[in-house]
Amino acid sequence: MNPVWTLFAPLAPFTAAAGAAALLFALFLAAQGFPAVEALGLVVEGAYGSSFAWQNTLSRAAPLMLTALCVALPARAGLVIIGGEGALAVGALAAAMVPSACAGWSGLPVQVLMALAGFVVGGAWVSLSAWLRHARGVNETISSLLLAYIGIAVFNFLVEGVLRDPASLNKPSTPPLADAYLIGSMPGLDVHWGLVWGVVFCIAAWFLVRQTVFGFAVGVVGGNPRAALMAGLPVGSLILASCFLGGGAAGVAGMLEVAAVHGSANAALLAGYGYAGILVSFAARHNPLGIIACAILVGGIGASGSLLQRRLDLPDAATLVLQGALFVALLAFETLNRKGARRV
């Protein structure tokens, strides 16, 4: 299949669902006396109406691409993993601890080690759900969600406890990273290099699942685990590997939030990217290339919140209502689509 078509094909059902979500959001606002049409226009303006809006959207899209892979890659193996926020939290925590152990090192090696730490810890965290599913039959959706809450609790406990910087009085955080360890912005843009990381990870994931023997084997496991066992495939190993890779991507998202956005690990980086990544992955139908486009669209919704707040005095969380409506519309669209396919 043409990769360009693969990139834009998921936008067809996403566009239909977005239209339904916009209608629901407009009715929700109109019922409260807000100008619904103006609000929808402000969502578009706040997301894509200026260079500043685009840069804000792209900055938000970067972690969404990586957390969406935490859903998309396990989905290839037939698992529904929704614990990306926990993997992001523990990955960020692991990355923030690396500089203190590498004092005096130059910037690039430390950044690489931070990325590896986030990847390994985030991957191992999500792999717990895969192991519980394969070895003990525990539902991976429930276990990954519970592990996300545990990961966030561990993050807050350590950041506000033994890892806290004594100088961070009102906002508990780990010690700030030295300038040499920070990831800067791309030339001429106020968008950090994490956007490139996200795109590269999505392209690599697409190649892995579509063009390699490993990807084919994982697809067989996701399609029919019993047939995979009969064919001699190592089902348990493939499930663990897909979850490890997906969790690793979310862990790298946490590392980027530390090194490119906040400069330390603190509660502000837990902004719901792991949960929004679920929406992005489902919108892209778990297609790694489609995730790039859908992350930009969902990132734009989040970026418009401040403009809605300034112009219409809506709470910044109003965009979460739109995201929720979009997710419900996507699920409804998929249900109707499957019913129609069965009738045919």
Side-chain angles (χ1 to χ4, degrees):
M1 182 179 290
N2 188 336
V4 176
W5 170 246
T6 303
L7 175 62
F8 290 102
L11 294 183
F14 182 87
T15 302
L23 178 60
L24 291 173
F25 185 61
L27 292 174
F28 172 78
L29 294 179
Q32 301 180 73
F34 291 102
V37 175
E38 182 182 355
L40 292 176
L42 290 175
V43 170
V44 177
E45 181 182 348
Y48 316 108
S50 65
S51 60
F52 173 80
W54 266 105
Q55 290 176 120
N56 192 7
T57 294
L58 293 176
S59 294
R60 291 172 179 266
L64 288 176
M65 294 177 192
L66 294 166
T67 56
L69 290 177
C70 187
V71 181
L73 292 177
R76 181 75 175 173
L79 275 66
V80 181
I81 296 292
I82 58 174
E85 189 78 0
L88 183 149
V90 296
L93 195 61
M97 295 170 63
V98 169
S100 60
C102 302
W105 290 31
S106 58
L108 184 58
V110 173
Q111 291 174 355
V112 171
L113 287 176
M114 290 174 65
L116 286 174
F119 185 88
V120 172
V121 173
W125 195 259
V126 174
S127 295
L128 288 173
S129 295
W131 180 81
L132 289 170
R133 162 66 184 273
H134 180 68
R136 294 291 182 266
V138 179
N139 183 281
E140 76 281 357
T141 306
I142 296 174
S143 65
S144 63
L145 181 60
L146 293 177
L147 282 170
Y149 286 119
I150 295 172
I152 293 171
V154 170
F155 176 93
N156 290 327
F157 176 80
L158 293 178
V159 168
E160 297 177 10
V162 295
L163 298 181
R164 179 173 180 173
D165 178 17
S168 60
L169 300 177
N170 297 324
K171 185 179 180 181
S173 68
T174 58
L177 271 64
D179 291 343
Y181 304 150
L182 297 175
I183 296 175
S185 300
M186 291 183 283
L189 296 174
D190 191 20
V191 181
H192 59 76
W193 282 99
L195 177 65
V196 176
W197 288 51
V199 172
V200 169
F201 266 69
C202 286
I203 294 174
W206 174 84
F207 182 83
L208 180 68
V209 301
R210 299 287 185 177
Q211 305 294 326
T212 66
V213 174
F214 171 81
F216 178 78
V218 171
V220 173
V221 172
N224 193 325
R226 291 185 179 180
L229 283 172
M230 292 177 64
L233 293 177
V235 173
S237 298
L238 291 170
I239 289 176
L240 286 170
S242 62
C243 288
F244 180 81
L245 293 174
V252 171
M255 172 268 178
L256 290 172
E257 287 297 295
V258 169
V261 180
H262 299 279
S264 64
N266 56 71
L269 64 81
L270 300 177
Y273 287 123
Y275 302 123
I278 302 169
L279 171 59
V280 172
S281 184
F282 273 86
R285 293 187 170 185
H286 308 309
N287 186 309
L289 285 185
I291 283 174
I292 298 173
C294 292
I296 293 173
L297 291 173
V298 174
I301 294 175
S304 65
S306 59
L307 188 61
L308 287 173
Q309 189 176 33
R310 293 196 306 269
R311 296 279 186 88
L312 300 180
D313 201 27
L314 279 167
D316 187 63
T319 56
L320 296 179
V321 176
L322 180 54
Q323 288 184 22
L326 178 57
F327 191 63
V328 171
L330 279 168
L331 293 178
F333 182 88
E334 286 294 332
T335 301
L336 293 174
N337 190 39
R338 289 177 182 176
K339 288 184 177 180
R342 289 174 183 173
R343 291 174 182 173
V344 174

